[in-house]
Each structure stands twice: as C-alpha cells, then as structure tokens.
Amino acid sequence: MNTTTSRHRGSAASLPADARSIRLRLANLDQDQADLERARQLLQLGRASFEDDPREAFELVHRAALRGAGILVARANRDRRRKLPLNVWTALERLDEEDARRALELAPFVTERGRLDRDSAAQPDPHLLQHHIEQTAQHLQSVSERLLSDLPDSMTALAG
C-alpha cells in the first residue's frame, strides 16, 4: 500500500491546478531554452566557419535563424486551437508586428539559401552572410528576453 501512495505523491495529477500549470510552463521554458541554446551553438559554429567555409557558415547561421523563429512559433502554437503553418517564415508572419517584420527581413537570406542550394559551386555573398550573422544574433537575444518576459516574476526568479 505504501508503494501506491509514494508512486502518486510526485505525480502531476495529485498537484493543484496552479502547480501543474507552473510545472508545465517551466517544462516548456526548459525546452525553449534548450532550443535557444542549440540555435546559439549553430550561430557560433557559423561564425567560426565564416572564413574557411562560407557556404557551411551560411547554412549554420540560417539553421540558427530557423531554430530561433521556431521557438516563437512553437510557443504560439501552445496557446492556439488552429496551429500555424509548418513553414516557419510563413508562421512568423502571422504572429505579431515585430515577428512579421523579422520574417520580411529574412527574405534576402531565404533567397540566398535557395541560390546556394541550386548551385553547389556558388558562394554566399560575404556582406549578406555577415548581415545574416548580425541579425540572427540580435534575434536570438530578443527571443531570450521574450522567453523570460512572458513569465510571472516568481517563475523568472526560478529560471535564473
């Protein structure tokens, strides 16, 4: 009998609704933070590849940008009945004004990535690559700030 009690003691079902909600929000925050960390790693790898392999650098930076935008789309989808489109750039356009502006800013990078995909000998425009790195770094910082700004103060303290 003791086993049954101890098995249920830590389960979410035995927690009050507020505690379950907090637990879910923290679990989502953990996932978002892990995704953000991976995006930062991709960006860093892209920066490191800039001189030696600009094609690889562009791809890594673009994947970092995709992951950063994907975090925002995933967060929005958690609260929506009708999910956003699978194309992250299209979904980003449908969030808010700031995100729609970000999606528009990404258009030249999406075009450049398409060009690189079509021609395996092509190299990315170095100025465009540098701009992509800078914009992606700024966007990932903005995503980081937004992750914490949406939390109640008590949870922000827990998130560190």
Side-chain angles (χ1 to χ4, degrees):
M1 199 72 162
N2 242 353
T3 1
T4 307
T5 306
S6 64
R7 197 172 346 143
H8 293 291
R9 186 175 299 150
S11 74
S14 65
L15 293 172
D18 289 352
R20 281 194 303 269
S21 173
I22 289 171
R23 206 178 247 191
L24 177 60
R25 288 178 79 179
L26 286 174
N28 288 336
L29 177 62
D30 285 346
Q31 181 61 56
D32 294 341
Q33 292 284 14
D35 290 343
L36 181 60
E37 182 56 32
R38 181 64 183 139
R40 287 177 172 151
Q41 290 170 354
L42 290 167
L43 178 62
Q44 187 56 39
L45 289 170
R47 282 182 174 139
S49 301
F50 184 88
E51 295 294 326
D52 296 334
D53 192 350
R55 280 183 65 90
E56 179 70 7
F58 192 91
E59 181 61 25
L60 291 166
V61 171
H62 201 74
R63 286 176 44 211
L66 279 165
R67 190 169 293 261
I71 294 166
L72 299 177
V73 172
R75 291 177 75 229
N77 274 336
R78 289 179 191 138
D79 298 329
R80 297 173 68 99
R81 285 184 189 214
R82 186 167 180 226
K83 302 301 182 198
L84 291 163
L86 292 178
N87 181 302
V88 74
W89 306 133
T90 303
L92 200 62
E93 290 174 356
R94 295 186 183 175
L95 292 179
D96 62 21
E97 190 176 320
E98 178 185 345
D99 295 320
R101 189 171 38 254
R102 171 72 178 148
L104 285 175
E105 292 170 353
L106 285 159
F109 308 126
V110 172
T111 301
E112 181 73 349
R113 187 182 192 208
R115 183 183 74 82
L116 294 171
D117 285 347
R118 286 187 304 278
D119 182 358
S120 61
Q123 292 296 315
D125 176 304
H127 299 291
L128 194 62
L129 174 54
Q130 183 61 44
H131 191 57
H132 201 359
I133 290 170
E134 292 166 3
Q135 277 198 348
T136 300
Q138 290 171 356
H139 189 251
L140 294 180
Q141 180 59 40
S142 170
V143 169
S144 176
E145 292 166 3
R146 286 169 71 176
L147 289 179
L148 295 179
S149 71
D150 291 346
L151 295 174
D153 291 338
S154 59
M155 289 178 69
T156 304
L158 292 173

PDB file of all heavy atoms in Angstrom, residues 124-156:
ATOM      1  N   PRO A 124      28.256  32.196 -50.859  1.00  0.00           N
ATOM      2  CA  PRO A 124      27.362  33.263 -50.390  1.00  0.00           C
ATOM      3  C   PRO A 124      28.041  34.625 -50.475  1.00  0.00           C
ATOM      4  O   PRO A 124      29.263  34.730 -50.367  1.00  0.00           O
ATOM      5  CB  PRO A 124      27.082  32.885 -48.937  1.00  0.00           C
ATOM      6  CG  PRO A 124      28.214  32.015 -48.531  1.00  0.00           C
ATOM      7  CD  PRO A 124      28.691  31.323 -49.772  1.00  0.00           C
ATOM      8  N   ASP A 125      27.234  35.625 -50.674  1.00  0.00           N
ATOM      9  CA  ASP A 125      27.725  36.999 -50.640  1.00  0.00           C
ATOM     10  C   ASP A 125      28.250  37.259 -49.229  1.00  0.00           C
ATOM     11  O   ASP A 125      27.509  37.112 -48.251  1.00  0.00           O
ATOM     12  CB  ASP A 125      26.556  37.939 -50.967  1.00  0.00           C
ATOM     13  CG  ASP A 125      26.929  39.395 -50.870  1.00  0.00           C
ATOM     14  OD1 ASP A 125      27.400  39.827 -49.800  1.00  0.00           O
ATOM     15  OD2 ASP A 125      26.727  40.113 -51.859  1.00  0.00           O
ATOM     16  N   PRO A 126      29.537  37.634 -49.083  1.00  0.00           N
ATOM     17  CA  PRO A 126      30.110  37.801 -47.739  1.00  0.00           C
ATOM     18  C   PRO A 126      29.421  38.884 -46.908  1.00  0.00           C
ATOM     19  O   PRO A 126      29.281  38.745 -45.695  1.00  0.00           O
ATOM     20  CB  PRO A 126      31.576  38.151 -47.983  1.00  0.00           C
ATOM     21  CG  PRO A 126      31.731  38.350 -49.443  1.00  0.00           C
ATOM     22  CD  PRO A 126      30.506  37.861 -50.138  1.00  0.00           C
ATOM     23  N   HIS A 127      28.969  39.944 -47.577  1.00  0.00           N
ATOM     24  CA  HIS A 127      28.269  41.013 -46.837  1.00  0.00           C
ATOM     25  C   HIS A 127      26.908  40.527 -46.351  1.00  0.00           C
ATOM     26  O   HIS A 127      26.492  40.835 -45.231  1.00  0.00           O
ATOM     27  CB  HIS A 127      28.115  42.265 -47.706  1.00  0.00           C
ATOM     28  CG  HIS A 127      29.425  42.853 -48.128  1.00  0.00           C
ATOM     29  ND1 HIS A 127      30.290  43.462 -47.246  1.00  0.00           N
ATOM     30  CD2 HIS A 127      30.029  42.887 -49.339  1.00  0.00           C
ATOM     31  CE1 HIS A 127      31.369  43.856 -47.884  1.00  0.00           C
ATOM     32  NE2 HIS A 127      31.238  43.517 -49.167  1.00  0.00           N
ATOM     33  N   LEU A 128      26.231  39.757 -47.203  1.00  0.00           N
ATOM     34  CA  LEU A 128      24.939  39.198 -46.815  1.00  0.00           C
ATOM     35  C   LEU A 128      25.108  38.201 -45.670  1.00  0.00           C
ATOM     36  O   LEU A 128      24.319  38.197 -44.716  1.00  0.00           O
ATOM     37  CB  LEU A 128      24.272  38.535 -48.020  1.00  0.00           C
ATOM     38  CG  LEU A 128      22.799  38.192 -47.876  1.00  0.00           C
ATOM     39  CD1 LEU A 128      21.962  39.440 -47.654  1.00  0.00           C
ATOM     40  CD2 LEU A 128      22.323  37.448 -49.115  1.00  0.00           C
ATOM     41  N   LEU A 129      26.151  37.395 -45.740  1.00  0.00           N
ATOM     42  CA  LEU A 129      26.438  36.430 -44.664  1.00  0.00           C
ATOM     43  C   LEU A 129      26.711  37.163 -43.353  1.00  0.00           C
ATOM     44  O   LEU A 129      26.172  36.802 -42.301  1.00  0.00           O
ATOM     45  CB  LEU A 129      27.608  35.530 -45.039  1.00  0.00           C
ATOM     46  CG  LEU A 129      28.115  34.564 -43.970  1.00  0.00           C
ATOM     47  CD1 LEU A 129      26.997  33.687 -43.418  1.00  0.00           C
ATOM     48  CD2 LEU A 129      29.259  33.714 -44.536  1.00  0.00           C
ATOM     49  N   GLN A 130      27.528  38.203 -43.403  1.00  0.00           N
ATOM     50  CA  GLN A 130      27.824  38.973 -42.190  1.00  0.00           C
ATOM     51  C   GLN A 130      26.549  39.592 -41.623  1.00  0.00           C
ATOM     52  O   GLN A 130      26.320  39.570 -40.416  1.00  0.00           O
ATOM     53  CB  GLN A 130      28.862  40.061 -42.484  1.00  0.00           C
ATOM     54  CG  GLN A 130      29.279  40.855 -41.260  1.00  0.00           C
ATOM     55  CD  GLN A 130      29.914  39.980 -40.191  1.00  0.00           C
ATOM     56  OE1 GLN A 130      30.747  39.124 -40.474  1.00  0.00           O
ATOM     57  NE2 GLN A 130      29.520  40.174 -38.949  1.00  0.00           N
ATOM     58  N   HIS A 131      25.716  40.099 -42.503  1.00  0.00           N
ATOM     59  CA  HIS A 131      24.444  40.700 -42.076  1.00  0.00           C
ATOM     60  C   HIS A 131      23.535  39.635 -41.448  1.00  0.00           C
ATOM     61  O   HIS A 131      22.869  39.894 -40.436  1.00  0.00           O
ATOM     62  CB  HIS A 131      23.773  41.368 -43.280  1.00  0.00           C
ATOM     63  CG  HIS A 131      22.610  42.220 -42.941  1.00  0.00           C
ATOM     64  ND1 HIS A 131      22.680  43.292 -42.066  1.00  0.00           N
ATOM     65  CD2 HIS A 131      21.317  42.166 -43.354  1.00  0.00           C
ATOM     66  CE1 HIS A 131      21.496  43.848 -41.956  1.00  0.00           C
ATOM     67  NE2 HIS A 131      20.646  43.181 -42.722  1.00  0.00           N
ATOM     68  N   HIS A 132      23.531  38.446 -42.033  1.00  0.00           N
ATOM     69  CA  HIS A 132      22.724  37.336 -41.504  1.00  0.00           C
ATOM     70  C   HIS A 132      23.199  36.971 -40.098  1.00  0.00           C
ATOM     71  O   HIS A 132      22.393  36.756 -39.187  1.00  0.00           O
ATOM     72  CB  HIS A 132      22.836  36.140 -42.443  1.00  0.00           C
ATOM     73  CG  HIS A 132      21.739  35.130 -42.336  1.00  0.00           C
ATOM     74  ND1 HIS A 132      20.683  35.218 -41.458  1.00  0.00           N
ATOM     75  CD2 HIS A 132      21.533  33.973 -43.031  1.00  0.00           C
ATOM     76  CE1 HIS A 132      19.880  34.171 -41.610  1.00  0.00           C
ATOM     77  NE2 HIS A 132      20.380  33.391 -42.552  1.00  0.00           N
ATOM     78  N   ILE A 133      24.498  36.913 -39.915  1.00  0.00           N
ATOM     79  CA  ILE A 133      25.064  36.611 -38.594  1.00  0.00           C
ATOM     80  C   ILE A 133      24.622  37.655 -37.570  1.00  0.00           C
ATOM     81  O   ILE A 133      24.149  37.319 -36.478  1.00  0.00           O
ATOM     82  CB  ILE A 133      26.609  36.529 -38.659  1.00  0.00           C
ATOM     83  CG1 ILE A 133      27.032  35.268 -39.437  1.00  0.00           C
ATOM     84  CG2 ILE A 133      27.226  36.545 -37.260  1.00  0.00           C
ATOM     85  CD1 ILE A 133      28.517  35.214 -39.768  1.00  0.00           C
ATOM     86  N   GLU A 134      24.754  38.919 -37.934  1.00  0.00           N
ATOM     87  CA  GLU A 134      24.406  40.005 -37.004  1.00  0.00           C
ATOM     88  C   GLU A 134      22.916  39.995 -36.668  1.00  0.00           C
ATOM     89  O   GLU A 134      22.540  40.100 -35.496  1.00  0.00           O
ATOM     90  CB  GLU A 134      24.812  41.352 -37.606  1.00  0.00           C
ATOM     91  CG  GLU A 134      26.310  41.534 -37.700  1.00  0.00           C
ATOM     92  CD  GLU A 134      26.722  42.694 -38.597  1.00  0.00           C
ATOM     93  OE1 GLU A 134      25.827  43.415 -39.126  1.00  0.00           O
ATOM     94  OE2 GLU A 134      27.936  42.876 -38.788  1.00  0.00           O
ATOM     95  N   GLN A 135      22.082  39.860 -37.684  1.00  0.00           N
ATOM     96  CA  GLN A 135      20.633  39.863 -37.450  1.00  0.00           C
ATOM     97  C   GLN A 135      20.185  38.643 -36.642  1.00  0.00           C
ATOM     98  O   GLN A 135      19.320  38.763 -35.779  1.00  0.00           O
ATOM     99  CB  GLN A 135      19.868  39.901 -38.771  1.00  0.00           C
ATOM    100  CG  GLN A 135      19.711  41.272 -39.338  1.00  0.00           C
ATOM    101  CD  GLN A 135      18.605  41.309 -40.381  1.00  0.00           C
ATOM    102  OE1 GLN A 135      18.113  40.288 -40.837  1.00  0.00           O
ATOM    103  NE2 GLN A 135      18.203  42.509 -40.750  1.00  0.00           N
ATOM    104  N   THR A 136      20.783  37.509 -36.931  1.00  0.00           N
ATOM    105  CA  THR A 136      20.409  36.299 -36.202  1.00  0.00           C
ATOM    106  C   THR A 136      20.824  36.410 -34.739  1.00  0.00           C
ATOM    107  O   THR A 136      20.061  36.029 -33.842  1.00  0.00           O
ATOM    108  CB  THR A 136      21.012  35.053 -36.876  1.00  0.00           C
ATOM    109  OG1 THR A 136      20.505  34.982 -38.217  1.00  0.00           O
ATOM    110  CG2 THR A 136      20.657  33.783 -36.127  1.00  0.00           C
ATOM    111  N   ALA A 137      22.001  36.955 -34.489  1.00  0.00           N
ATOM    112  CA  ALA A 137      22.450  37.149 -33.104  1.00  0.00           C
ATOM    113  C   ALA A 137      21.483  38.072 -32.357  1.00  0.00           C
ATOM    114  O   ALA A 137      21.091  37.785 -31.213  1.00  0.00           O
ATOM    115  CB  ALA A 137      23.868  37.716 -33.083  1.00  0.00           C
ATOM    116  N   GLN A 138      21.079  39.158 -32.999  1.00  0.00           N
ATOM    117  CA  GLN A 138      20.128  40.079 -32.377  1.00  0.00           C
ATOM    118  C   GLN A 138      18.789  39.399 -32.126  1.00  0.00           C
ATOM    119  O   GLN A 138      18.183  39.578 -31.066  1.00  0.00           O
ATOM    120  CB  GLN A 138      19.923  41.312 -33.255  1.00  0.00           C
ATOM    121  CG  GLN A 138      21.101  42.228 -33.312  1.00  0.00           C
ATOM    122  CD  GLN A 138      20.936  43.329 -34.353  1.00  0.00           C
ATOM    123  OE1 GLN A 138      19.947  43.368 -35.090  1.00  0.00           O
ATOM    124  NE2 GLN A 138      21.909  44.222 -34.421  1.00  0.00           N
ATOM    125  N   HIS A 139      18.342  38.617 -33.091  1.00  0.00           N
ATOM    126  CA  HIS A 139      17.050  37.951 -32.937  1.00  0.00           C
ATOM    127  C   HIS A 139      17.091  36.921 -31.814  1.00  0.00           C
ATOM    128  O   HIS A 139      16.149  36.822 -31.030  1.00  0.00           O
ATOM    129  CB  HIS A 139      16.607  37.295 -34.250  1.00  0.00           C
ATOM    130  CG  HIS A 139      15.217  36.790 -34.182  1.00  0.00           C
ATOM    131  ND1 HIS A 139      14.918  35.454 -34.149  1.00  0.00           N
ATOM    132  CD2 HIS A 139      14.027  37.439 -34.092  1.00  0.00           C
ATOM    133  CE1 HIS A 139      13.612  35.304 -34.059  1.00  0.00           C
ATOM    134  NE2 HIS A 139      13.050  36.479 -34.024  1.00  0.00           N
ATOM    135  N   LEU A 140      18.173  36.163 -31.725  1.00  0.00           N
ATOM    136  CA  LEU A 140      18.269  35.171 -30.642  1.00  0.00           C
ATOM    137  C   LEU A 140      18.285  35.856 -29.283  1.00  0.00           C
ATOM    138  O   LEU A 140      17.704  35.341 -28.323  1.00  0.00           O
ATOM    139  CB  LEU A 140      19.497  34.276 -30.835  1.00  0.00           C
ATOM    140  CG  LEU A 140      19.467  33.372 -32.064  1.00  0.00           C
ATOM    141  CD1 LEU A 140      20.738  32.535 -32.127  1.00  0.00           C
ATOM    142  CD2 LEU A 140      18.232  32.494 -32.107  1.00  0.00           C
ATOM    143  N   GLN A 141      18.899  37.022 -29.195  1.00  0.00           N
ATOM    144  CA  GLN A 141      18.880  37.778 -27.939  1.00  0.00           C
ATOM    145  C   GLN A 141      17.454  38.227 -27.629  1.00  0.00           C
ATOM    146  O   GLN A 141      17.002  38.138 -26.488  1.00  0.00           O
ATOM    147  CB  GLN A 141      19.821  38.985 -28.028  1.00  0.00           C
ATOM    148  CG  GLN A 141      19.860  39.815 -26.761  1.00  0.00           C
ATOM    149  CD  GLN A 141      20.302  39.017 -25.549  1.00  0.00           C
ATOM    150  OE1 GLN A 141      21.208  38.192 -25.627  1.00  0.00           O
ATOM    151  NE2 GLN A 141      19.664  39.255 -24.416  1.00  0.00           N
ATOM    152  N   SER A 142      16.746  38.670 -28.643  1.00  0.00           N
ATOM    153  CA  SER A 142      15.356  39.082 -28.462  1.00  0.00           C
ATOM    154  C   SER A 142      14.490  37.903 -28.020  1.00  0.00           C
ATOM    155  O   SER A 142      13.639  38.046 -27.132  1.00  0.00           O
ATOM    156  CB  SER A 142      14.823  39.661 -29.773  1.00  0.00           C
ATOM    157  OG  SER A 142      13.445  39.860 -29.718  1.00  0.00           O
ATOM    158  N   VAL A 143      14.697  36.737 -28.623  1.00  0.00           N
ATOM    159  CA  VAL A 143      13.942  35.537 -28.238  1.00  0.00           C
ATOM    160  C   VAL A 143      14.215  35.216 -26.776  1.00  0.00           C
ATOM    161  O   VAL A 143      13.292  34.921 -26.010  1.00  0.00           O
ATOM    162  CB  VAL A 143      14.291  34.342 -29.145  1.00  0.00           C
ATOM    163  CG1 VAL A 143      13.718  33.044 -28.600  1.00  0.00           C
ATOM    164  CG2 VAL A 143      13.800  34.591 -30.569  1.00  0.00           C
ATOM    165  N   SER A 144      15.474  35.291 -26.375  1.00  0.00           N
ATOM    166  CA  SER A 144      15.844  35.013 -24.984  1.00  0.00           C
ATOM    167  C   SER A 144      15.105  35.944 -24.020  1.00  0.00           C
ATOM    168  O   SER A 144      14.548  35.502 -23.013  1.00  0.00           O
ATOM    169  CB  SER A 144      17.356  35.183 -24.819  1.00  0.00           C
ATOM    170  OG  SER A 144      17.735  35.014 -23.484  1.00  0.00           O
ATOM    171  N   GLU A 145      15.076  37.216 -24.347  1.00  0.00           N
ATOM    172  CA  GLU A 145      14.385  38.190 -23.499  1.00  0.00           C
ATOM    173  C   GLU A 145      12.883  37.918 -23.454  1.00  0.00           C
ATOM    174  O   GLU A 145      12.259  38.031 -22.405  1.00  0.00           O
ATOM    175  CB  GLU A 145      14.668  39.609 -24.002  1.00  0.00           C
ATOM    176  CG  GLU A 145      16.121  40.016 -23.807  1.00  0.00           C
ATOM    177  CD  GLU A 145      16.519  41.256 -24.587  1.00  0.00           C
ATOM    178  OE1 GLU A 145      15.647  41.874 -25.258  1.00  0.00           O
ATOM    179  OE2 GLU A 145      17.713  41.593 -24.549  1.00  0.00           O
ATOM    180  N   ARG A 146      12.318  37.537 -24.581  1.00  0.00           N
ATOM    181  CA  ARG A 146      10.877  37.264 -24.637  1.00  0.00           C
ATOM    182  C   ARG A 146      10.503  36.015 -23.842  1.00  0.00           C
ATOM    183  O   ARG A 146       9.428  35.961 -23.243  1.00  0.00           O
ATOM    184  CB  ARG A 146      10.431  37.131 -26.084  1.00  0.00           C
ATOM    185  CG  ARG A 146      10.389  38.474 -26.783  1.00  0.00           C
ATOM    186  CD  ARG A 146      10.203  38.357 -28.258  1.00  0.00           C
ATOM    187  NE  ARG A 146       8.873  37.922 -28.619  1.00  0.00           N
ATOM    188  CZ  ARG A 146       8.451  37.822 -29.875  1.00  0.00           C
ATOM    189  NH1 ARG A 146       9.253  38.127 -30.868  1.00  0.00           N
ATOM    190  NH2 ARG A 146       7.232  37.414 -30.136  1.00  0.00           N
ATOM    191  N   LEU A 147      11.376  35.027 -23.844  1.00  0.00           N
ATOM    192  CA  LEU A 147      11.087  33.816 -23.078  1.00  0.00           C
ATOM    193  C   LEU A 147      10.876  34.143 -21.607  1.00  0.00           C
ATOM    194  O   LEU A 147       9.969  33.626 -20.961  1.00  0.00           O
ATOM    195  CB  LEU A 147      12.221  32.796 -23.216  1.00  0.00           C
ATOM    196  CG  LEU A 147      12.376  32.119 -24.561  1.00  0.00           C
ATOM    197  CD1 LEU A 147      13.562  31.157 -24.528  1.00  0.00           C
ATOM    198  CD2 LEU A 147      11.111  31.398 -24.985  1.00  0.00           C
ATOM    199  N   LEU A 148      11.714  35.000 -21.084  1.00  0.00           N
ATOM    200  CA  LEU A 148      11.612  35.342 -19.662  1.00  0.00           C
ATOM    201  C   LEU A 148      10.575  36.426 -19.387  1.00  0.00           C
ATOM    202  O   LEU A 148       9.965  36.430 -18.325  1.00  0.00           O
ATOM    203  CB  LEU A 148      12.981  35.770 -19.131  1.00  0.00           C
ATOM    204  CG  LEU A 148      14.048  34.674 -19.132  1.00  0.00           C
ATOM    205  CD1 LEU A 148      15.371  35.208 -18.607  1.00  0.00           C
ATOM    206  CD2 LEU A 148      13.595  33.464 -18.327  1.00  0.00           C
ATOM    207  N   SER A 149      10.351  37.310 -20.338  1.00  0.00           N
ATOM    208  CA  SER A 149       9.417  38.413 -20.081  1.00  0.00           C
ATOM    209  C   SER A 149       7.971  37.947 -19.964  1.00  0.00           C
ATOM    210  O   SER A 149       7.158  38.615 -19.337  1.00  0.00           O
ATOM    211  CB  SER A 149       9.520  39.471 -21.177  1.00  0.00           C
ATOM    212  OG  SER A 149       8.982  38.993 -22.386  1.00  0.00           O
ATOM    213  N   ASP A 150       7.663  36.810 -20.559  1.00  0.00           N
ATOM    214  CA  ASP A 150       6.291  36.297 -20.507  1.00  0.00           C
ATOM    215  C   ASP A 150       5.970  35.549 -19.216  1.00  0.00           C
ATOM    216  O   ASP A 150       4.835  35.164 -18.994  1.00  0.00           O
ATOM    217  CB  ASP A 150       6.022  35.357 -21.690  1.00  0.00           C
ATOM    218  CG  ASP A 150       5.992  36.104 -23.008  1.00  0.00           C
ATOM    219  OD1 ASP A 150       5.905  37.346 -22.980  1.00  0.00           O
ATOM    220  OD2 ASP A 150       6.066  35.444 -24.057  1.00  0.00           O
ATOM    221  N   LEU A 151       6.977  35.342 -18.391  1.00  0.00           N
ATOM    222  CA  LEU A 151       6.769  34.582 -17.152  1.00  0.00           C
ATOM    223  C   LEU A 151       6.434  35.507 -15.986  1.00  0.00           C
ATOM    224  O   LEU A 151       6.917  36.638 -15.931  1.00  0.00           O
ATOM    225  CB  LEU A 151       8.039  33.802 -16.795  1.00  0.00           C
ATOM    226  CG  LEU A 151       8.454  32.696 -17.757  1.00  0.00           C
ATOM    227  CD1 LEU A 151       9.793  32.122 -17.331  1.00  0.00           C
ATOM    228  CD2 LEU A 151       7.403  31.610 -17.811  1.00  0.00           C
ATOM    229  N   PRO A 152       5.647  35.018 -15.039  1.00  0.00           N
ATOM    230  CA  PRO A 152       5.436  35.790 -13.805  1.00  0.00           C
ATOM    231  C   PRO A 152       6.771  35.962 -13.076  1.00  0.00           C
ATOM    232  O   PRO A 152       7.677  35.139 -13.223  1.00  0.00           O
ATOM    233  CB  PRO A 152       4.481  34.921 -12.988  1.00  0.00           C
ATOM    234  CG  PRO A 152       3.915  33.923 -13.930  1.00  0.00           C
ATOM    235  CD  PRO A 152       4.890  33.779 -15.056  1.00  0.00           C
ATOM    236  N   ASP A 153       6.877  37.002 -12.283  1.00  0.00           N
ATOM    237  CA  ASP A 153       8.126  37.294 -11.571  1.00  0.00           C
ATOM    238  C   ASP A 153       8.620  36.114 -10.741  1.00  0.00           C
ATOM    239  O   ASP A 153       9.817  35.828 -10.705  1.00  0.00           O
ATOM    240  CB  ASP A 153       7.964  38.524 -10.666  1.00  0.00           C
ATOM    241  CG  ASP A 153       7.812  39.802 -11.474  1.00  0.00           C
ATOM    242  OD1 ASP A 153       8.240  39.820 -12.654  1.00  0.00           O
ATOM    243  OD2 ASP A 153       7.270  40.774 -10.933  1.00  0.00           O
ATOM    244  N   SER A 154       7.709  35.407 -10.090  1.00  0.00           N
ATOM    245  CA  SER A 154       8.126  34.285  -9.249  1.00  0.00           C
ATOM    246  C   SER A 154       8.785  33.195 -10.089  1.00  0.00           C
ATOM    247  O   SER A 154       9.730  32.538  -9.641  1.00  0.00           O
ATOM    248  CB  SER A 154       6.925  33.706  -8.497  1.00  0.00           C
ATOM    249  OG  SER A 154       5.935  33.251  -9.418  1.00  0.00           O
ATOM    250  N   MET A 155       8.320  32.992 -11.311  1.00  0.00           N
ATOM    251  CA  MET A 155       8.911  31.966 -12.171  1.00  0.00           C
ATOM    252  C   MET A 155      10.209  32.473 -12.795  1.00  0.00           C
ATOM    253  O   MET A 155      11.117  31.689 -13.024  1.00  0.00           O
ATOM    254  CB  MET A 155       7.930  31.554 -13.254  1.00  0.00           C
ATOM    255  CG  MET A 155       6.769  30.740 -12.712  1.00  0.00           C
ATOM    256  SD  MET A 155       5.580  30.300 -13.973  1.00  0.00           S
ATOM    257  CE  MET A 155       6.519  29.145 -14.943  1.00  0.00           C
ATOM    258  N   THR A 156      10.300  33.749 -13.061  1.00  0.00           N
ATOM    259  CA  THR A 156      11.518  34.315 -13.633  1.00  0.00           C
ATOM    260  C   THR A 156      12.676  34.103 -12.658  1.00  0.00           C
ATOM    261  O   THR A 156      13.786  33.779 -13.061  1.00  0.00           O
ATOM    262  CB  THR A 156      11.346  35.796 -13.950  1.00  0.00           C
ATOM    263  OG1 THR A 156      10.220  35.956 -14.814  1.00  0.00           O
ATOM    264  CG2 THR A 156      12.579  36.375 -14.615  1.00  0.00           C
TER     265      THR A 156
END
